[in-house]
Amino acid sequence: MKHKYTLLIYTENHIGLLNRISIIFTRHKVNIETLNTSASMHGDIHSFVITIYTTADKAEHLRKIIEKQVEVLKALLYEDSQIIAQEVALYKVSMRSIGKNNIIEQMVRNSNARILAVNPDFIVIEKTGNQSETQAFLEELSVYDVREFIRSGRVIVTKPMRMLDDILREMEQEEETN
């Protein structure tokens, strides 16, 4: 049965690595739902956060294949219950549809969103939350002529208390014993 899985991949920063990782998913016919890459707290180590829908066996198989890439330091696989995840969504809403009422301002407050920009033609709203929260806010705003909508990939922290420094130490110990 297919479930949502999140891969957290620590890598060296090399050109072409993202392409090689995405090819792994293509070859195994698994679609990448969300993707976020960034530097970690160690500037020379980068992290990839990839969300996929697949079976547990296939997710673990993909993790192992990815971890074999030369520039990949560690690939970890998580279910939603093991992480805290957030996304950022931006909504651009036409000012004409809003008119002079304060309903949008009230919606923003009630959903813990914030207004980023106000222009004579549009307003830009930012909402942070999980995918269902940002989608629900989009549906709530849909009656007000949403002109643009974009959602970021997941940003996560893991619930198991395991720091990147601990993972790096474990890797060094493995190298020393091999």
Side-chain angles (χ1 to χ4, degrees):
M1 186 166 166
K2 289 185 177 185
H3 291 283
K4 184 192 288 186
Y5 293 95
T6 300
L7 285 156
L8 174 58
I9 305 165
Y10 292 111
T11 72
E12 297 173 0
N13 188 18
H14 283 268
I15 295 170
L17 182 58
L18 176 58
N19 185 49
R20 289 201 327 269
I21 289 173
S22 67
I23 287 171
I24 292 169
F25 291 96
T26 302
R27 284 186 185 142
H28 289 85
K29 296 181 171 102
V30 174
N31 191 40
I32 294 173
E33 297 295 324
T34 68
L35 168 67
N36 187 13
T37 65
S38 66
S40 71
M41 58 192 268
H42 297 279
D44 55 340
I45 297 175
H46 282 64
S47 63
F48 289 57
V49 177
I50 301 173
T51 305
I52 56 175
Y53 284 97
T54 190
T55 63
D57 290 342
K58 189 171 260 190
E60 179 60 23
H61 180 67
L62 290 166
R63 185 199 65 77
K64 288 177 181 176
I65 293 170
I66 290 167
E67 201 166 62
K68 289 180 184 176
Q69 297 294 306
V70 173
E71 297 88 353
V72 172
L73 304 173
K74 192 74 174 170
L76 305 162
L77 182 65
Y78 296 102
E79 294 182 21
D80 277 358
S81 63
Q82 299 172 301
I83 60 174
I84 298 168
Q86 292 286 282
E87 299 176 352
V88 176
L90 298 178
Y91 313 81
K92 185 163 107 177
V93 182
S94 169
M95 286 297 273
R96 276 189 232 144
S97 67
I98 297 170
K100 295 190 189 246
N101 66 37
N102 294 336
I103 192 76
I104 293 290
E105 190 176 334
Q106 190 63 41
M107 288 170 65
V108 166
R109 270 197 224 119
N110 291 343
S111 69
N112 294 318
R114 67 185 188 134
I115 297 172
L116 294 181
V118 178
N119 181 294
D121 296 326
F122 61 85
I123 184 171
V124 177
I125 303 167
E126 173 194 56
K127 168 90 175 115
T128 302
N130 61 42
Q131 187 175 3
S132 62
E133 292 169 336
T134 58
Q135 186 64 35
F137 191 58
L138 174 63
E139 291 167 11
E140 191 177 343
L141 284 174
S142 66
V143 297
Y144 295 102
D145 192 20
V146 176
R147 293 296 176 106
E148 289 183 47
F149 167 72
I150 190 160
R151 184 180 8 238
S152 72
R154 271 185 163 188
V155 178
I156 69 164
V157 291
T158 60
K159 288 183 183 176
M161 194 57 193
R162 195 164 174 214
M163 294 176 53
L164 178 56
D165 291 335
D166 296 335
I167 293 169
L168 294 173
R169 263 193 298 283
E170 287 174 16
M171 290 172 53
E172 287 174 6
Q173 291 172 351
E174 285 176 18
E175 285 179 15
E176 289 172 3
T177 58
N178 290 338

